[in-house]
Amino acid sequence: SLMISVKVIKNKSISRIEISGHSGYDVSGKDIVCASVSSIVITSVNAIIRMDENAISYKEDEGYVEVIVNNHSKEVDILLDNMISLLKELEQTYKKYIKVYE
């Protein structure tokens, strides 16, 4: 089945996040799960980069996003934790379409 999977790799705090797959909730462009994941991730990534452009490395491919944490700070960790919390909230509502692994 189609699903977005979010893998959170921790080492005390979050060191890497991998997001892959497509939710299959609806056709592309009407897929609110996919759109929600995108906006949560992009907003968080942009906020982190605005504070410290070297804090994270960000890779994007078709159906795949990877965020690697290079420099931890209290703010960066709060934003990453917040991003995961938002994705988990989405998971509660759309269990069949998104799964967060910690």
Side-chain angles (χ1 to χ4, degrees):
S1 74
L2 283 161
M3 182 179 266
I4 293 173
S5 91
V6 179
K7 288 193 184 106
V8 183
I9 295 97
K10 280 190 170 173
N11 191 345
K12 286 188 187 153
S13 45
I14 296 168
S15 62
R16 201 167 103 234
I17 299 160
E18 273 178 49
I19 301 159
S20 58
H22 295 280
S23 78
Y25 180 82
D26 202 343
V27 296
S28 181
K30 277 173 56 183
D31 194 326
I32 54 173
V33 179
C34 193
S36 299
V37 169
S38 293
S39 51
I40 289 167
V41 173
I42 290 163
T43 304
S44 305
V45 163
N46 285 345
I48 291 167
I49 290 170
R50 219 173 284 141
M51 278 191 316
D52 174 2
E53 59 186 39
N54 302 312
I56 56 172
S57 309
Y58 177 77
K59 272 188 255 171
E60 199 176 4
D61 225 324
E62 176 54 35
Y64 180 82
V65 169
E66 184 182 37
V67 178
I68 297 166
V69 185
N70 304 319
N71 299 328
H72 284 281
S73 70
K74 196 179 131 197
E75 293 77 15
V76 167
D77 290 339
I78 287 169
L79 284 166
L80 290 168
D81 287 336
N82 183 59
M83 173 172 119
I84 299 305
S85 299
L86 292 168
L87 291 168
K88 282 183 177 165
E89 274 176 41
L90 200 61
E91 179 187 27
Q92 291 308 306
T93 313
Y94 299 101
K95 281 184 170 62
K96 278 194 270 187
Y97 307 100
I98 174 172
K99 181 87 186 86
V100 179
Y101 302 93
E102 277 194 282

